[in-house]
Amino acid sequence: MIWNAILAYLIFGVFQSHGWRLYAAFTVLPSIIGLLLVIWVVPESPRYLALQGKYGLATLHANHVASSMGYKGPPLEESEIEHHYSTRQRHRHEGKQDSSLQSSSSLSLPSSAFFSTLLSSIRLHAQQMFRNVKLIYTSPDLCKPAVTLQLMWISVSIGAALAFWINTIFQNVGLSNVYLSFIILNCASIPGNMASAVLTDRMGRNKFFSCSCGMASMALFAVGLLVSTGSKNEEEESLSSSSMATNHTISIVFCTAFYYASMTGVYSVLYVMASELYPTTIRATGVVLSSTFGRIAQSLAQFVNGALIDHPSTLLNVGATVLLSGALVAWIVPPQEMSRKPVKDDVSKSSSNPSSPSSLSPSFQLVHNNLKEHNGNDETHSLMEDTFHTDVDESSLSSSSTFRRNYSSTVT
């Protein structure tokens, strides 16, 4: 966004060119560079590779990530990953194979093998999508937090829809050099990203979301107040009050930048909450479903924004009210807090509380008690949770070298 703002300032503001094709061509460059960096630099998820049965690649990527984070211990071995994920991967493969056979056997089309396979694949994925959506709304552990998250996403999307009208609002209230102001607003996303990186884990997802959404709402209320005050005093302004008009402009830009920074933090933690709330098997469906509700709400909100654009103060107050309602939803009916908790792989395992020692087997409870006797501080308890509260079979975990290595290093 900063790159786009600078391009708009140079092409439309400085050189006074209306070549939108040139602007569109340059705005694609960051996406192309990002795609190449993802392909060449970003490693694949070791968990995903292990679930697909690619244990060698999973081991390679896991050790690469660990070394980049400063891990100095013995590297992970392929046999360890295969030991934990072989049974689960076999069950997943058998389930997919049975579904594929049923789908292909029930589909008989007088077309070529390619189109038959393509239609069968589309039908299989469509059936899986509807099953996942049904599972989200019928599961007692997912329905309530999923609906809450979708309401939060809708309110945030409606509040973020105002960003498309900021330049028009600036022009209506008489701000000069709109493109330069747009650069300042997009630079405000940098402290927003820094705040989300530092405070998301320290404050917790729900608290950080509520605070960020509330601050964005207060910033819009402030901009609406400044706009209404400026419009009332517009007829009384003269050349001698140019310094007052400058201060008024700076105040509007500053509050709008604070809105941009807060919304950056809101969206950062919102995607974290969505990805952690849903188990692995339905995570993509859950995130896309929430995002779709937000996109629909944002599209419908544009009609309201267009109708109120001649009344910028009212438009800003409406958007601020919607954002404040989203903050209240997260505060009153918060989704499950997933800070320092492992994500689930299956919906059937979402009912158990991974942070409770009583949910462990007797042998694991004995290890937990020994760790507490050895060092009863929170750091050791947190290390124990990270070591043993993983979404794998406990009997297989107790016999692996990872279990012995982590347990001996913690106790001694």
Side-chain angles (χ1 to χ4, degrees):
M1 293 299 294
I2 298 176
W3 170 257
N4 294 344
I6 295 175
L7 284 178
Y9 174 70
L10 293 177
I11 295 177
F12 302 115
V14 176
F15 300 105
Q16 300 293 327
S17 174
H18 298 282
W20 62 268
R21 294 179 179 84
L22 181 64
Y23 174 77
F26 277 108
T27 54
V28 176
L29 289 179
S31 300
I32 297 177
I33 296 175
L35 176 62
L36 296 177
L37 290 176
V38 168
I39 295 175
W40 292 337
V41 178
V42 178
E44 184 58 87
S45 168
R47 189 191 195 99
Y48 170 79
L49 293 173
L51 290 174
Q52 299 299 318
K54 302 176 181 179
Y55 307 118
L57 288 176
T59 305
L60 178 65
H61 288 292
N63 289 327
H64 173 71
V65 172
S67 62
S68 64
M69 297 175 64
Y71 176 70
K72 303 299 182 182
L76 191 66
E77 298 177 0
E78 181 178 349
S79 59
E80 298 180 68
I81 295 182
E82 185 176 1
H83 181 76
H84 292 310
Y85 286 92
S86 58
T87 304
R88 187 185 313 175
Q89 193 272 338
R90 184 171 62 252
H91 291 329
R92 289 167 59 91
H93 177 72
E94 291 175 354
K96 290 182 178 180
Q97 188 176 13
D98 294 340
S99 300
S100 178
L101 290 175
Q102 292 176 2
S103 178
S104 61
S105 62
S106 60
L107 185 64
S108 57
L109 295 176
S111 57
S112 63
F114 172 77
F115 289 104
S116 178
T117 304
L118 178 62
L119 293 176
S120 178
S121 177
I122 295 175
R123 180 180 178 182
L124 178 63
H125 285 83
Q127 291 175 349
Q128 182 64 41
M129 180 192 67
F130 286 114
R131 281 196 298 266
N132 290 344
V133 173
K134 181 180 179 181
L135 188 60
I136 290 174
Y137 291 109
T138 56
S139 174
D141 297 325
L142 286 178
C143 181
K144 181 179 178 180
V147 172
T148 303
L149 185 66
Q150 290 163 9
L151 291 176
M152 294 161 54
W153 210 301
I154 289 173
S155 63
V156 169
S157 299
I158 294 176
L162 288 174
F164 297 100
W165 299 86
I166 291 296
N167 283 346
T168 305
I169 294 175
F170 281 1
Q171 291 176 352
N172 290 348
V173 299
L175 291 185
S176 60
N177 208 338
V178 176
Y179 295 108
L180 182 60
S181 300
F182 194 54
I183 294 177
I184 298 175
L185 297 182
N186 283 279
C187 288
S189 61
I190 297 177
N193 283 319
M194 295 175 61
S196 62
V198 174
L199 299 177
T200 298
D201 287 325
R202 295 187 179 183
M203 294 180 59
R205 282 85 166 114
N206 298 323
K207 290 183 179 179
F208 182 74
F209 176 87
S210 298
C211 293
S212 300
C213 207
M215 288 189 295
S217 175
M218 295 300 105
L220 284 183
F221 277 126
V223 176
L225 180 62
L226 291 171
V227 169
S228 62
T229 304
S231 61
K232 291 179 181 179
N233 299 331
E234 184 178 358
E235 297 180 355
E236 302 176 0
E237 290 182 354
S238 60
L239 295 176
S240 59
S241 61
S242 60
S243 61
M244 183 180 300
T246 302
N247 293 334
H248 184 262
T249 300
I250 293 175
S251 299
I252 292 178
V253 173
F254 175 78
C255 292
T256 310
F258 194 80
Y259 158 77
Y260 265 69
S262 300
M263 290 303 298
T264 301
V266 167
Y267 267 108
S268 297
V269 71
L270 191 62
Y271 275 99
V272 172
M273 295 170 67
S275 61
E276 293 177 341
L277 175 65
Y278 297 103
T280 303
T281 53
I282 61 172
R283 182 168 300 130
T285 303
V287 175
V288 170
L289 186 64
S290 301
S291 179
T292 301
F293 277 113
R295 294 291 184 181
I296 294 174
Q298 191 175 70
S299 300
L300 296 177
Q302 302 297 352
F303 293 98
V304 179
N305 296 341
L308 295 177
I309 191 60
D310 293 331
H311 308 279
S313 178
T314 303
L315 174 60
L316 293 167
N317 290 332
V318 170
T321 303
V322 175
L323 284 175
L324 185 60
S325 65
L328 293 177
V329 168
W331 188 270
I332 298 174
V333 194
Q336 182 184 4
E337 180 61 54
M338 294 298 294
S339 179
R340 292 183 173 273
K341 293 182 181 179
V343 295
K344 311 298 187 303
D345 272 341
D346 204 330
V347 179
S348 61
K349 298 181 180 180
S350 62
S351 59
S352 61
N353 184 8
S355 63
S356 175
S358 60
S359 63
L360 299 174
S361 63
S363 60
F364 274 54
Q365 292 181 17
L366 178 61
V367 173
H368 175 262
N369 295 332
N370 290 336
L371 287 173
K372 290 182 67 177
E373 292 177 1
H374 176 73
N375 189 350
N377 55 25
D378 294 337
E379 182 178 358
T380 303
H381 180 70
S382 177
L383 179 59
M384 182 265 170
E385 289 183 351
D386 294 338
T387 304
F388 302 110
H389 291 158
T390 54
D391 194 14
V392 295
D393 182 52
E394 292 179 3
S395 60
S396 63
L397 183 60
S398 60
S399 61
S400 67
S401 58
T402 305
F403 173 88
R404 294 193 299 270
R405 185 166 63 241
N406 289 337
Y407 173 71
S408 60
S409 62
T410 304
V411 175
T412 57

